[in-house]
Amino acid sequence: MNKLLQISIFIVLLLILVFPSTNVFAFSSPQNVYMFEEPYIVEHKGSASLLPGTMLTHNNQSYIPLRDAANLFDLEITSNASGIFLESRTSSSSIHINSSLNHPLPKQTIPSNDFVSFSIPIGAHAGAVLESGQDRPSFTKNANAALYPASTVKVMTALLAIEKGNLSDRVVVGPGAATVPFDSSKAGVRPGDVMTLEQLLHGLMLPSGNDAAVAIAEHIGGSHWQFVQMMNQRARELGATNTTFMNAHGYDHPSQKTTVSDLAKIGAEASKHPEFLKLISTPTYATTYRNRAGSPVHKVWRNTNQMLHNQAYRHSSIIGGKTGYTSVSRHNLISFAEAGGSTYTTVILRGERTQRYYDTTNMLSRAISARQQFDQSNKKQVRALPLSSSILYNNQPVNLENQAFMYNGTTYIHTDLLSLFSNAVTTASVSSVQQMHAAVNGEIIGFDLTPPVLSSGRMLVPIRAIFDFLELDVHWDASTQTVTGSNHDTVIELRVNQTTAKVNGTTHTLDVPATVVNGRTLVPIRFVAESTGSTIDWGRARVLYLN
């Protein structure tokens, strides 16, 4: 790091607060967002420090005060009309860890995650609700039942088209469009028609055109079957391992099956693209393109999703979705909603024509209610101040947009940015849950990615961490499974899985014995510390690991 490290954060009137796990929600004005607020400890090379600020977490993405980051890297904060500047106080690029405490470690327990589950009766054979930022649905019925997807397959077709193509691409409809089954739903596109990919996607998603699906497949994949292989590969990448695609449009095939859990994962990925959300929220679409002869073709496509047309089926949070029907699959529906800073993907498979809409609105209402109740009980409501930022780091521009926000007069940055602050850090990661920590004689012990464990209410910690901290030499006797820690006036002997130990030759009874976990020997920290005359405190906090 240069002696003068400068990070310029240019402040304007608009904050786009986008959480990296979803990349969907942009706030153009101050917003109230529920976040976990937790004390946090930084660990680096076996040293640990309780930071003065708090960590804010939403959708599994964590942010810390810029002020805390500046102090960690010994940077001076100044400001002027142009923005905020950080200047290195020294030429050193080391991290400054202060292990000393002047107050007890925090004891409050925060839920390990913000997963919300609920139960609700639905009429369909199978259903699911997946909230953004979660790795599993909050509700399922017959989660892994293999069912026919019908035209909900087109969600994957649209996803690949958006990922692999450009909406402005010029597409010449290939011969496959004329080969779809006679009783297919069609958009009316024909071989030789010339249009943009955006027009073709509307023909895919609104009237549910199987002909449009094949045209897209041939354009993106080179052939329909090659595109289907791409669909199956993408499904596996998304964890939709119980899904097999046999075509790009959803017409029944004996081997083409999916589950509500898999379809929710595919839909959640598609919903990260604004282009997709615009497609599924369009009630009607009028367009003109050219046929093989160059003559104009005028089309008006109407969305098959009755939620966009019939007030009785609507829900205020639902953006849109994709229907599916065959006589074999029955009535399917995948829908997308935005509420409270989250995106919800709901799936109905093997439902009935109108009941699928009622099932969807009922599932969504219950999911939103459960989320609100959980957030109000466990999180802090943060009022995010709008601002858009950019960074200059060592003459290399790094955009802060979507990775920083301001709350209560404090700028918060995403923890991923910490690797930019010093060449002493290559990665920054955050523990998924609060970790137990201990302070001996008022100093926090770092456990170097091997957290303590609790057994019968007692904390067990890696032997090397506590013995090194107490300046005890370590000796391991493999034949007797005994570990010995000693210095000039204390000798502590602990035998693995034995409830007795010796201190200077005197036998003591332990509440919990030393044990081996994942190849690491763990010892009761209170017994070891107090055997040397030390005091001990414990607490819980999220952990930010800098490596």
Side-chain angles (χ1 to χ4, degrees), residues 96-422:
H96 296 263
I97 301 291
N98 180 10
S99 298
S100 298
L101 289 171
N102 54 17
H103 55 79
L105 285 169
K107 304 295 192 295
Q108 180 184 9
T109 301
I110 302 293
S112 59
N113 59 59
D114 61 352
F115 177 71
V116 174
S117 63
F118 62 92
S119 179
I120 188 173
I122 62 172
H125 180 74
V129 180
L130 179 60
E131 183 183 358
S132 58
Q134 304 300 328
D135 58 2
R136 63 191 189 278
S138 52
F139 165 79
T140 57
K141 177 183 177 182
N142 292 324
N144 297 314
L147 299 170
Y148 292 98
S151 285
T152 59
V153 162
K154 293 182 173 79
V155 171
M156 175 60 91
T157 303
L159 171 61
L160 280 179
I162 291 169
E163 289 180 337
K164 303 295 184 181
N166 295 303
L167 297 185
S168 59
D169 284 350
R170 178 180 179 271
V171 180
V172 178
V173 175
T179 66
V180 297
F182 73 95
D183 56 346
S184 292
S185 56
K186 299 182 181 72
V189 299
R190 296 189 173 113
D193 287 346
V194 181
M195 62 184 68
T196 65
L197 181 60
E198 182 177 14
Q199 290 173 311
L200 201 50
L201 279 167
H202 281 87
L204 172 81
M205 297 299 285
L206 274 68
S208 200
N210 288 7
D211 46 0
V214 176
I216 289 172
E218 292 177 337
H219 173 71
I220 298 293
S223 74
H224 188 182
W225 185 243
Q226 286 177 320
F227 185 82
V228 171
Q229 301 313 303
M230 294 168 61
M231 295 170 69
N232 285 312
Q233 175 62 31
R234 192 71 177 98
R236 288 190 291 272
E237 292 171 357
L238 295 174
T241 56
N242 294 314
T243 293
T244 300
F245 294 113
M246 298 301 294
N247 57 55
H249 43 65
Y251 196 88
D252 290 333
H253 185 287
S255 298
Q256 183 157 264
K257 299 286 185 68
T258 190
T259 68
V260 288
S261 295
D262 279 6
L263 194 52
K265 293 175 184 177
I266 295 167
E269 185 67 18
S271 72
K272 296 178 182 180
H273 297 274
E275 304 95 330
F276 176 82
L277 296 179
K278 182 180 179 182
L279 273 175
I280 53 97
S281 64
T282 302
T284 58
Y285 180 77
T287 191
T288 300
Y289 54 88
R290 300 282 175 175
N291 64 16
R292 182 191 297 271
S295 300
V297 178
H298 305 287
K299 291 287 185 181
V300 177
W301 289 315
R302 178 180 169 87
N303 203 312
T304 61
N305 186 356
Q306 291 303 305
M307 279 191 165
L308 299 179
H309 305 291
N310 191 328
Q311 186 67 38
Y313 300 142
R314 288 183 182 173
H315 187 287
S316 59
S317 297
I318 289 180
I319 303 166
K322 183 72 193 76
T323 60
Y325 171 79
T326 70
S327 58
V328 176
S329 73
R330 303 304 300 161
H331 296 275
N332 301 335
L333 179 64
I334 180 170
S335 300
F336 304 89
E338 294 177 352
S342 292
T343 299
Y344 295 88
T345 304
T346 65
V347 180
I348 290 294
L349 291 180
R350 199 161 180 80
E352 295 303 323
R353 182 183 298 275
T354 58
Q355 184 63 41
R356 58 181 167 175
Y357 297 116
Y358 297 125
D359 282 343
T360 295
T361 57
N362 289 339
M363 289 191 307
L364 180 60
S365 294
R366 184 69 184 88
I368 294 173
S369 174
R371 164 56 57 207
Q372 290 174 340
Q373 292 172 10
F374 179 90
D375 287 352
Q376 290 170 3
S377 299
N378 298 290
K379 296 183 180 181
K380 184 182 185 69
Q381 191 178 60
V382 173
R383 184 72 170 174
L385 177 69
L387 88 91
S388 179
S389 305
S390 61
I391 295 180
L392 296 176
Y393 174 78
N394 272 359
N395 299 320
Q396 296 295 320
V398 178
N399 193 354
L400 262 187
E401 184 180 351
N402 305 340
Q403 300 190 79
F405 63 92
M406 188 170 288
Y407 158 63
N408 199 25
T410 298
T411 299
Y412 283 78
I413 61 171
H414 194 281
T415 53
D416 284 351
L417 293 176
L418 294 178
S419 60
L420 305 176
F421 277 58
S422 168

Side-chain angles (χ1 to χ4, degrees), residues 475-494:
H475 175 72
W476 169 251
D477 187 335
S479 62
T480 62
Q481 296 284 287
T482 301
V483 60
T484 302
S486 61
N487 58 22
H488 61 281
D489 58 9
T490 303
V491 178
I492 304 172
E493 299 175 67
L494 299 110

Side-chain angles (χ1 to χ4, degrees), residues 440 466 470 492 524-536:
V440 177
I466 181 62
L470 294 171
I492 304 172
I525 186 173
R526 183 172 294 278
F527 174 79
V528 172
E530 292 181 348
S531 293
T532 66
S534 300
T535 60
I536 186 167

